[in-house]
């Protein structure tokens, strides 16, 4: 493409992404970079103030361990995560984040994030680990701190630059390549270390919303598997690729349920008013020892609800009015009760306005008054978000000091939160097996990985060797969809229908149909089997061939093309990993009908995979689960 300028940026540390983990990395790495005379560069496909999962804001900080007050210990948090993930977790990573997360929350408050407080000035908790916030501007506040830190240390940031591939020097990552979404420019970032923090993936599966609501999903449509592709393509060992997340949310606009369950103590019931957590409790025996832990693992909560849906007992309702009434009734007199009712009503709406504005709009549009009648909830479609209650991501080294003899051999190979590729670090949704980081923990992991990356650079000071031929070849590959469209689009009357190419939207529909029908999506009630997966992988193989025929009319569509290539790799890793794990471990996330039970004797293990970009072959392996304490 002759009319594309190539912009080369040389830096020491490159941070890919501008979300919670990337902002944490920018703040911490800038501090250490300044001390060492090094440069930090951040690149985001969007605008940092409103990019990623926190774009619309959040109404809670979901990880605050409160270690100083003695309320909880690190072991308490590790136990919570271990139980919630049905035993599959890297406690060294979870503990490393948990021991630093409180200081992150205190920084957020210092930077201006309003955290709810009681009359004594203590944080108001939503649940044991969660704090309530007025978080509409959460991301703006965090991005400002990151930009300030970069500026103070002589770093820089690029917005609206979409990263497509890693740049490799043999087995070492030496930067990244991408393109501007607004100008005809290809960006080549040469770096001594690269930190991957480009979030998780949505729209790999067919969403519930189609037609006029298409694009509305729980997870933000902007995160499209870039982290997974970047690490997979670079040859990094990946973990927990089978562990998708399916949140339960208010129906159709995906409003959060945490505040209702934890703060307002609301009950969710089936259409007949039955409490599915109680009525289906016998099912818990099948999933021991995790079936009966408190709180019940997120997937088990989903599963007991799905059993009712499959039994024809839907709609499922959050009994909002009962919960509000029960709290108000605790007031000393009627006047106080009325005041409390108004307060709760305002809090209920604010919960949505702080992070899922569309749910407030939908409530208003459908005459929902939460204090008067219940509201429908349902399980969303599957997402890849290793920082929440999923676990997919790259396999990263843990910190040295937290390892015991057994974990050290398996989980420690040098710089904390570095992948198995030298110079490639990962944080937030990009790193796996360390669930329940959420916004605060992702920022914290970014800080840890950012500091470690600077230490790596201090030990590897030589300029990176970036092969010009590799850059040229990638550049041609990246821009090819534009050429394909320009060459063929005039040969048919409707540019959508053309035998020479496939447009990214059509490509995405095909991917979503494969995943929905063969890999346990919404239409299949989240059920799949070995045979279904094998067929789905065959169909995915044909889609892969057609990826070479993707066509883009403009820069925006070029981004859409690469988003879908990224999603396709996430889909591939997902199907392979479900197939490899011969059991059902997370009913409520997915159910393998040919392996319908949990098999702790054989499968209390990580499923890891590696991709070889030269041979295009995958290798699967088991890694042992070893805990820090019994
Ligand atoms: O309750 C490229 N999360 C919540 N966490 C909380 O602490 N409290 C809540 O209230 C939370 N809720 C919630 C949450 C998530 C979502 C989707 C909803 C509600 C609707 C979880 C956190 O948001 C999540 O853990 C963190 O944000 C994860 O951080 P990180 O950095 O891993 O991902 P990101 O923030 O989404 O940022 C991704 C960045 O990558 C960029 N990007 N850049 C360049 N090139 C590419 N190709 C790129 N692709 C993506 C993005 O632009 C972005 O900057 S609750 O309901 O659960
Ligand atoms: P959510 O709004 O569902 O993302 O929930 C916010 C936080 O509360 C997350 O840490 C969830 O794991 C947790 N949570 C939500 N619902 C429940 C529940 N019924 N029991 C225990 N924890 C919950």
């Amino acid at each position: 493409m002759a009319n594309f300028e190539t912009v080369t940026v040389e830096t020491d540390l490159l941070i890919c992404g501008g979300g919670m983990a990337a902002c944490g990395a920018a703040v911490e790495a800038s501090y250490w970079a300044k001390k060492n005379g090094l440069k930090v560069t951040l690149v985001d496909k969007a605008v940092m103030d409103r990019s990623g999962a926190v774009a619309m804001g959040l109404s809670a900080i979901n990880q605050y361990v409160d270690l100083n007050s003695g309320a909880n210990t690190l072991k308490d948090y590790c136990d919570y995560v271990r139980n919630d993930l049905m035993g599959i977790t890297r406690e060294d990573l979870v503990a490393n984040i948990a021991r630093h997360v409180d200081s992150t929350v205190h920084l957020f408050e210092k930077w201006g994030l309003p955290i709810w407080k009681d009359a004594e000035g203590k944080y108001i908790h939503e649940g044991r680990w969660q704090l309530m916030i007025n978080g509409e501007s959460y991301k703006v506040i965090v991005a400002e701190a990151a930009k300030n830190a970069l500026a103070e240390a002589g770093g820089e940031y690029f917005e609206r630059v979409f990263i497509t591939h890693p740049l490799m020097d043999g087995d070492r990552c030496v930067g990244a390549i991408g393109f501007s979404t607004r100008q005809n420019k290809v960006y080549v970032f040469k770096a001594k270390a690269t930190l991957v923090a480009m979030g998780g993936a949505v729209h790999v599966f067919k969403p519930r919303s189609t037609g006029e609501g298409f694009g509305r999903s729980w997870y933000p449509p902007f995160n499209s598997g870039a982290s997974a592709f970047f690490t997979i393509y670079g040859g990094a060992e990946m973990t927990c690729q089978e562990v998708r997340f399916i949140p339960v949310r208010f129906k159709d606009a995906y409003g959060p349920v945490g505040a209702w369950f934890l703060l307002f103590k609301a009950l969710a019931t089936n259409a007949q008013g039955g409490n599915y957590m109680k009525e289906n409790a016998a099912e818990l025996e099948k999933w021991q020892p995790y079936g009966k832990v408190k709180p019940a693992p997120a997937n088990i909560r989903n599963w007991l609800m799905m059993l009712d849906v499959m039994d024809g007992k839907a709609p499922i309702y959050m009994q909002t009015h009962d919960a509000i009434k029960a709290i108000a009734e605790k007031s000393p007199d009627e006047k106080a009760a009325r005041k409390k009712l108004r307060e709760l009503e305002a809090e209920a709406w604010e919960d949505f306005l702080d992070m899922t504005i569309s749910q407030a709009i939908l409530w208003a549009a459908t005459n929902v008054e939460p204090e008067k009648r219940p509201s429908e909830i349902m399980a969303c479609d599957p997402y890849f978000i290793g920082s929440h209650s999923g676990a997919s991501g790259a396999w990263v080294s843990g910190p040295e000091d937290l390892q015991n003899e057994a974990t050290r051999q398996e989980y420690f190979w040098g710089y904390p939160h570095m992948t198995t590729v030298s110079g490639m670090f990962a944080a937030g949704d990009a790193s796996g097996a360390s669930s329940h980081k959420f916004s605060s923990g992702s920022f914290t992991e970014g800080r840890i990985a950012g500091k470690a990356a600077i230490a790596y650079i201090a030990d590897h000071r030589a300029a990176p060797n970036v092969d010009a031929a590799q850059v040229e070849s990638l550049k041609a590959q990246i821009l090819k969809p534009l050429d394909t469209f320009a060459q063929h689009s005039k040969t048919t009357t409707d540019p959508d229908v053309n035998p020479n190419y496939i447009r990214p939207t059509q490509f995405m529909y095909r991917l979503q149909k494969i995943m929905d029908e063969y890999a346990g999506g919404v239409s299949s009630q989240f059920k799949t089997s070995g045979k279904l997966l094998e067929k789905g992988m065959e169909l995915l193989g044909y889609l892969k061939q057609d990826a070479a025929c993707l066509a883009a009319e403009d820069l925006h569509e070029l981004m859409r093309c690469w988003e879908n290539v990224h999603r396709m790799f996430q889909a591939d890793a997902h199907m392979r990993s479900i197939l490899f794990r011969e059991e059902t471990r997370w009913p409520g996330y997915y159910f393998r009908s040919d392996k319908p039970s949990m098999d702790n004797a054989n499968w209390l293990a990580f499923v890891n995979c590696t991709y070889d970009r030269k041979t295009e072959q995958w290798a699967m392996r088991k890694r042992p689960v070893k805990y820090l304490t019994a």
Side-chain angles (χ1 to χ4, degrees), residues 28-282:
E28 188 78 27
S30 295
Y31 174 84
W32 298 103
K34 196 172 176 191
K35 280 187 185 296
N36 287 276
L38 298 170
K39 182 181 165 191
V40 180
T41 302
L42 180 149
V43 53
D44 190 347
K45 80 188 260 194
V47 170
M48 283 163 82
D49 277 356
R50 292 279 174 193
S51 68
V54 188
M56 260 200 273
L58 295 178
S59 57
I61 286 176
N62 282 352
Q63 191 188 8
Y64 183 71
V65 183
D66 201 3
L67 284 174
N68 278 351
S69 78
N72 298 300
T73 63
L74 279 185
K75 180 162 168 36
D76 291 333
Y77 202 75
C78 287
D79 287 349
Y80 165 59
V81 179
R82 185 200 297 189
N83 287 333
D84 202 74
L85 269 294
M86 310 291 278
I88 308 293
T89 188
R90 280 272 305 274
E91 292 194 341
D92 60 327
L93 300 176
V94 173
N96 199 25
I97 296 164
R99 67 176 161 170
H100 295 299
V101 75
D102 294 348
S103 72
T104 287
V105 173
H106 301 151
L107 280 176
F108 290 165
E109 192 176 23
K110 192 176 114 190
W111 294 332
L113 179 71
I115 305 181
W116 290 17
K117 294 217 171 114
D118 64 15
E120 289 165 24
K122 291 204 183 107
Y123 292 147
I124 294 184
H125 279 251
E126 180 184 73
R128 182 170 177 187
W129 313 107
Q130 302 86 356
L131 304 179
M132 296 302 293
I133 58 174
N134 292 103
E136 188 278 335
S137 299
Y138 191 179
K139 187 65 204 304
V140 182
I141 291 166
V142 169
E144 183 184 37
K147 287 189 260 184
N148 287 344
L150 285 166
E152 268 169 43
E156 60 181 331
Y157 63 92
F158 294 82
E159 295 179 326
R160 299 198 173 97
V161 173
F162 183 89
I163 294 295
T164 57
H165 297 77
L167 292 173
M168 302 297 295
D169 177 17
D171 291 337
R172 182 180 166 192
C173 181
V174 287
I177 186 166
F179 59 91
S180 162
T181 58
R182 295 268 168 117
Q183 298 164 310
N184 284 0
K185 288 182 181 175
V186 167
Y187 278 86
V188 176
F189 295 96
K190 299 183 179 178
K192 292 174 189 158
T194 304
L195 198 155
V196 188
M198 294 180 281
V202 63
H203 289 157
V204 174
F205 280 83
K206 186 153 85 64
R208 282 185 185 271
S209 309
T210 52
E212 67 167 355
F214 191 80
R216 182 72 201 114
S217 55
W218 173 74
Y219 199 50
F222 337 108
N223 285 352
S224 47
S227 298
F229 176 79
F230 197 97
T231 44
I232 290 170
Y233 186 86
E237 185 168 329
M238 305 298 289
T239 192
C240 298
Q241 293 299 303
E242 74 281 32
V243 195
R244 57 174 73 174
F245 176 45
I246 298 180
V248 159
R249 288 294 180 264
F250 284 96
K251 190 162 179 298
D252 293 334
Y254 304 92
V257 298
W260 284 100
F261 278 131
L262 303 179
L263 187 69
F264 300 142
K265 312 269 185 279
L267 192 66
T269 71
N270 60 33
Q272 287 77 40
N275 178 349
Y276 56 80
M277 292 300 290
K278 287 217 168 105
E279 291 179 0
N280 296 336

Side-chain angles (χ1 to χ4, degrees), residues 162-487:
F162 183 89
I163 294 295
T164 57
H165 297 77
L167 292 173
M168 302 297 295
D169 177 17
D171 291 337
R172 182 180 166 192
C173 181
V174 287
I177 186 166
F179 59 91
S180 162
T181 58
R182 295 268 168 117
Q183 298 164 310
N184 284 0
K185 288 182 181 175
V186 167
Y187 278 86
V188 176
F189 295 96
K190 299 183 179 178
K192 292 174 189 158
T194 304
L195 198 155
V196 188
M198 294 180 281
V202 63
H203 289 157
V204 174
F205 280 83
K206 186 153 85 64
R208 282 185 185 271
S209 309
T210 52
E212 67 167 355
F214 191 80
R216 182 72 201 114
S217 55
W218 173 74
Y219 199 50
F222 337 108
N223 285 352
S224 47
S227 298
F229 176 79
F230 197 97
T231 44
I232 290 170
Y233 186 86
E237 185 168 329
M238 305 298 289
T239 192
C240 298
Q241 293 299 303
E242 74 281 32
V243 195
R244 57 174 73 174
F245 176 45
I246 298 180
V248 159
R249 288 294 180 264
F250 284 96
K251 190 162 179 298
D252 293 334
Y254 304 92
V257 298
W260 284 100
F261 278 131
L262 303 179
L263 187 69
F264 300 142
K265 312 269 185 279
L267 192 66
T269 71
N270 60 33
Q272 287 77 40
N275 178 349
Y276 56 80
M277 292 300 290
K278 287 217 168 105
E279 291 179 0
N280 296 336
E283 176 73 16
L284 300 175
E285 295 296 342
K286 292 187 198 159
W287 310 100
Q288 295 293 41
Y290 313 108
K292 291 196 177 168
V293 294
K294 293 265 182 287
N299 65 292
I300 295 283
R301 299 199 298 268
N302 288 3
W303 181 237
L304 298 194
M305 175 179 137
M306 286 172 189
L307 289 173
D308 271 14
V309 173
M310 287 185 272
D311 259 3
K313 294 181 185 165
I316 304 293
Y317 286 111
M318 182 76 83
Q319 301 292 344
T320 53
H321 60 312
D322 286 346
I324 289 184
K325 211 166 108 203
I327 302 177
E329 273 171 0
K330 285 190 192 135
S331 308
D333 55 53
E334 210 170 302
K335 193 172 160 217
R338 272 202 306 276
K339 187 167 172 259
K340 189 71 194 166
L341 196 79
R342 277 197 301 278
E343 245 175 64
L344 292 167
E345 219 185 295
E347 281 171 11
W349 285 92
E350 165 142 16
D351 189 38
F352 292 161
L353 290 169
D354 272 350
M355 80 169 166
T356 320
I357 299 155
S358 38
Q359 185 72 56
I361 295 169
L362 189 69
W363 265 13
T366 50
N367 301 331
V368 173
E369 292 175 90
E371 70 285 11
K372 292 201 177 133
R373 63 180 172 123
S375 219
E376 208 179 332
I377 57 172
M378 50 95 226
C380 305
D381 35 294
Y383 310 111
F384 298 90
I385 172 164
S387 67
H388 203 290
S389 313
S392 54
W395 184 244
V396 297
S397 173
E400 186 170 15
D401 65 315
L402 284 178
Q403 310 294 339
N404 59 37
E405 252 174 63
T407 63
R408 177 180 299 268
Q409 282 175 356
E410 294 290 338
Y411 303 157
F412 171 67
W413 56 89
Y415 302 88
H417 302 246
M418 189 172 87
T419 68
T420 54
V421 171
S422 185
M424 186 191 282
F425 293 74
D429 296 323
S431 82
S434 50
S435 321
H436 292 276
K437 306 180 250 203
F438 302 104
S439 60
S440 46
S442 296
F443 186 96
T444 306
E445 191 180 19
R447 288 174 63 193
I448 296 167
K451 182 177 175 185
I454 295 292
Y456 173 95
I457 295 165
D459 294 343
H460 300 78
R461 285 195 174 258
N465 176 27
V466 180
D467 176 30
Q470 180 189 174
V471 170
E472 281 314 307
S473 151
L474 281 172
K475 192 178 159 188
Q477 207 182 314
I478 292 165
L479 300 178
K480 187 173 167 229
L482 290 169
D483 288 336
T484 304
F485 189 86
Q487 201 183 337

